[in-house]
Amino acid sequence: MVGFDGYQVKAGLTGQAQQLDEAGTDMDGVSSAVKARTTYAYDDAGGNDAASALNAFAKAWEAESRNLASALHELGGKVQLAKGAYDGAEGLVQTRMDSVPAGGTSGTTGPSRQGGHASSLSSY
């Protein structure tokens, strides 16, 4: 859907944002797998101290994997928002460039140059 201001709204994530979100989904799976093993008994670990230490480690890893998953999902969303902002700004620049009258008597015949470098806008 294209709005009156030239912005286009797309559902879902794309590109690198989608890859980050998928990595977050993978970490969600890790968290679930670890959570299923956060209660070791004496027989499983070979002693009360070992079971207690293993349970604490598993719980900490489960919490860390949840944090990583959340961060990856959030980062994916932010990358998608940034991409949309850049796309919108580029569209605005293109619209404004298209409204500049062509021709004139300035005497320039090729791409404008600043300090010996071609303008980045010369391709518009």
Side-chain angles (χ1 to χ4, degrees):
M1 174 178 157
V2 176
F4 69 94
D5 56 0
Y7 287 96
Q8 185 173 5
V9 177
K10 294 181 182 180
L13 301 175
T14 59
Q16 292 173 328
Q18 183 177 10
Q19 289 175 341
L20 287 165
D21 191 62
E22 288 170 356
T25 300
D26 290 345
M27 285 306 300
D28 287 330
V30 170
S31 178
S32 295
V34 172
K35 187 175 185 174
R37 296 299 300 183
T38 56
T39 308
Y40 288 91
Y42 174 86
D43 292 339
D44 295 330
N48 285 333
D49 289 340
S52 178
L54 192 54
N55 288 335
F57 174 79
K59 286 178 185 176
W61 179 237
E62 190 268 333
E64 184 64 20
S65 62
R66 273 187 289 127
N67 287 339
L68 289 170
S70 177
L72 286 164
H73 289 302
E74 182 178 345
L75 186 56
K78 287 181 178 184
V79 166
Q80 187 70 20
L81 288 173
K83 180 186 179 299
Y86 282 115
D87 287 348
E90 287 177 0
L92 182 60
V93 168
Q94 181 65 49
T95 299
R96 295 228 173 137
M97 288 297 298
D98 290 343
S99 70
V100 174
T105 59
S106 67
T108 57
T109 58
S112 64
R113 296 196 172 269
Q114 286 281 17
H117 300 287
S119 169
S120 60
L121 299 176
S122 65
S123 64
Y124 287 102

